[in-house]
Amino acid sequence: MAMRSLWIGLLLSTTGLAQATTVEDVQSFTLDNGMKIMVMEDNTIPNANMYLFWKVGSRNEVPGITGLSHFFEHMMFNGSEHYAPKMFDRTMEAAGGANNAYTTEDLTVYTDWFPAEAMEVIFSLEADRISSLTIDPKMVDSERGVVSSERRTGLENSNWRMLSEEVKGAAFRAHPYSWSVIGHESDINAWTLDDLKQYHKTYYAPNNAVVVISGAVKFAEVKQMAEQYFGVIPAQPTPAVVRTIEPEQKGEKRVYVQKPSVSSTNLMVAYKIPASSDADFYALDLLSDLLLKGKSSRLNRALVDEQLALAVDGYLPKSFDPNLFYLYAIANPQGDPSKLEHTLIQEVNRLSTELVSQAELDKVKNHKLMEFYKQMQTINGRSNTVGTYELYFGDYSKLFNAPEAYQAVTPADIQRVAQTYLTKARRTVGVLAAEEDKDL
């Protein structure tokens, strides 16, 4: 608690913020059609944003229609009843706004930033593409080509993406996390118009969304516009629940990817971890930082400083279901890839056998808390964080307990989660290289 107060004090003194965001600053209501809307008033600047979190990602797909969630991220900008193709962006930009979008395994998120006085334009644009998106065959074929090209070039240009696709496929044999968000190429080429229409109707229904609006807006005004523009869109039956539970992994899995153009071996080691809503999330998040955060992190010192690797990285995704914690290293071309793998795993195992010092743990806690409060300083970070906690952790109010949850993690907790999750039986090892090792 003392550390939390210290960091709040530091941030307030260095940024001049009048006050920190509290749980009472989040006001919310739910429309009759099931759409939940949260509002945070902030008149620091005359701007606002709207984040639309749709509860649909590659996790909701099945073989045959993989990649559809990401495809709709493209299609939602290609015309609707009142705004022709390209007019979504042009209309928003004419009003001084900008937008972006991203798709994950669990969510598709659309982000709009705009001058506060343009809020009605944004409501009109979003309502139109939710209620009456144009799914024109010519536009679908054109965008299908764009996505197919994106998949090919993405895999060709990114060793990480090429290797992670194979690692995911090997690690999961039942759960839809087994395929990449962009989908399988044959599925991209085979989606039908009926597939698209049904997918949009099912998942882009108001009862499947959470909307967060922050900035120089008034709660009453947001509510009036939400009822006027979003409230008239009919709800749809609740989408089918993802029932598949990945069976317990019984031993280490390995995959090899040959890429003749690669100059250095790429290594990925991925461990099965629980969903983000699990109580162990905070200890795992700090454990990830111990291994990966900055030049003084354990893997950077053991692999890069010792010239076994050119670079090291990793990723702990937030997810609805149990997922993977990825560790990634690019071997020194003059080094021994097998020694790189041995040393990386040795460093991971050290977390299970030796207690991390309180000083080392405090260092990553301090960085984590600084990042957390920095995010909460801006209306952009605030909307994204509130929506993220609402969906991944089940309740936005939990974000206001996050600093205490991080502070409560002890060296023994780090060791316990390492012993529980970072085991040989739970890991999948991927190697990408120009040539595979020879048989014995």
Side-chain angles (χ1 to χ4, degrees), residues 12 15-27 38-45 47-51 53 102 111 113 210-217 371-390 396-397 399-400:
L12 293 181
T15 64
L17 283 176
Q19 59 182 19
T21 304
T22 67
V23 67
E24 288 78 21
D25 293 324
V26 184
Q27 304 177 77
M38 290 182 279
V39 183
M40 284 173 282
E41 297 181 6
D42 181 350
N43 292 297
T44 306
I45 56 174
N47 294 340
N49 62 42
M50 180 186 290
Y51 273 64
F53 294 84
Y102 62 88
T111 56
W113 306 280
V210 169
V211 179
V212 186
I213 299 172
S214 298
V217 298
E371 288 173 354
F372 179 83
Y373 289 118
K374 195 173 178 181
Q375 271 190 322
M376 294 298 289
Q377 285 182 64
T378 66
I379 59 172
N380 188 57
R382 227 172 288 155
S383 287
N384 194 35
T385 308
V386 165
T388 294
Y389 269 79
E390 174 72 9
Y396 74 89
S397 67
L399 86 87
F400 296 98

Side-chain angles (χ1 to χ4, degrees), residues 69-344:
S69 306
H70 169 257
F71 186 68
F72 269 103
E73 182 194 316
H74 288 241
M75 284 299 295
M76 290 289 278
F77 294 92
N78 281 324
S80 49
E81 183 177 358
H82 297 106
Y83 295 94
K86 301 186 185 303
M87 290 310 297
F88 185 94
D89 287 338
R90 289 175 183 171
T91 305
M92 186 174 290
E93 288 166 7
N99 63 73
N100 209 337
Y102 62 88
T103 310
T104 72
E105 293 165 325
D106 302 290
L107 297 173
T108 306
V109 183
Y110 297 87
T111 56
D112 304 320
W113 306 280
F114 49 89
E117 65 265 22
M119 184 166 65
E120 185 161 9
V121 174
I122 307 304
F123 266 103
S124 171
L125 284 165
E126 290 292 357
D128 197 43
R129 66 178 180 175
I130 297 168
S131 61
S132 54
L133 184 73
T134 301
I135 302 181
D136 175 73
K138 289 183 179 177
M139 186 60 73
V140 169
D141 284 344
S142 171
E143 209 60 50
R144 193 196 305 267
V146 171
V147 172
S148 186
S149 174
E150 182 181 333
R151 177 186 157 80
R152 284 194 304 275
T153 56
L155 292 180
E156 287 169 3
N157 297 331
S158 170
N159 294 337
W160 163 280
R161 287 182 63 178
M162 182 174 277
L163 186 53
S164 64
E165 182 174 65
E166 297 300 329
V167 167
K168 283 159 62 79
F172 293 103
R173 66 181 173 88
H175 194 277
Y177 287 161
S178 66
W179 53 80
S180 295
V181 171
I182 201 165
H184 297 305
E185 185 167 4
S186 60
D187 290 349
I188 294 172
N189 294 330
W191 303 317
T192 68
L193 288 182
D194 284 344
D195 291 334
L196 269 63
K197 290 175 182 174
Q198 188 58 45
Y199 207 75
H200 182 264
K201 183 178 181 181
T202 302
Y203 292 107
Y204 282 83
N207 46 310
N208 200 44
V210 169
V211 179
V212 186
I213 299 172
S214 298
V217 298
K218 298 295 183 191
F219 176 78
E221 186 182 17
V222 170
K223 190 172 183 183
Q224 180 268 316
M225 288 192 188
E227 289 171 344
Q228 178 183 345
Y229 287 96
F230 291 161
V232 296
I233 303 171
Q236 298 295 331
T238 303
V241 174
V242 176
R243 291 176 295 190
T244 301
I245 298 172
E246 180 67 19
E248 182 184 358
Q249 188 168 327
K250 300 291 188 181
E252 184 188 69
K253 300 179 181 180
R254 296 186 71 87
V255 292
Y256 165 76
V257 181
Q258 186 174 25
K259 186 178 182 183
S261 62
V262 73
S263 56
S264 297
T265 298
N266 285 229
L267 172 70
M268 182 171 283
V269 181
Y271 293 89
K272 292 272 176 61
I273 55 169
S276 300
S277 57
D278 192 280
D280 284 338
F281 170 81
Y282 296 99
L284 282 165
D285 199 21
L286 291 172
L287 179 153
S288 171
D289 283 2
L290 285 167
L291 290 173
L292 296 164
K293 194 73 176 181
K295 292 186 176 179
S296 63
S297 64
R298 290 191 171 201
L299 287 183
N300 200 74
R301 281 183 287 151
L303 305 181
V304 179
D305 290 357
E306 295 301 318
Q307 300 186 17
L308 294 172
L310 300 177
V312 61
D313 204 348
Y315 177 47
L316 180 76
K318 292 184 178 67
S319 62
F320 289 168
D321 296 328
N323 208 329
L324 297 173
F325 169 40
Y326 300 87
L327 300 171
Y328 181 69
I330 302 172
N332 185 329
Q334 283 74 50
D336 178 358
S338 61
K339 186 177 181 182
L340 171 65
E341 180 181 336
H342 175 76
T343 306
L344 186 151

Side-chain angles (χ1 to χ4, degrees), residues 249 251-253 271 349 421-428:
Q249 188 168 327
E252 184 188 69
K253 300 179 181 180
Y271 293 89
N349 290 346
Y421 305 113
L422 307 190
T423 65
K424 182 175 183 179
R426 298 174 70 93
R427 78 180 174 226
T428 300

Side-chain angles (χ1 to χ4, degrees), residues 341-408:
E341 180 181 336
H342 175 76
T343 306
L344 186 151
I345 290 173
Q346 194 175 41
E347 276 301 316
V348 171
N349 290 346
R350 199 155 68 86
L351 289 166
S352 297
T353 57
E354 299 175 14
L355 277 178
V356 62
S357 72
Q358 190 62 53
E360 190 179 0
L361 182 56
D362 285 344
K363 182 187 71 175
V364 294
K365 284 183 180 180
N366 292 345
H367 280 295
K368 185 63 68 181
L369 289 172
M370 185 173 69
E371 288 173 354
F372 179 83
Y373 289 118
K374 195 173 178 181
Q375 271 190 322
M376 294 298 289
Q377 285 182 64
T378 66
I379 59 172
N380 188 57
R382 227 172 288 155
S383 287
N384 194 35
T385 308
V386 165
T388 294
Y389 269 79
E390 174 72 9
L391 291 162
Y392 285 114
F393 298 87
D395 186 345
Y396 74 89
S397 67
K398 291 183 180 177
L399 86 87
F400 296 98
N401 299 324
E404 284 79 6
Y406 282 114
Q407 281 301 100

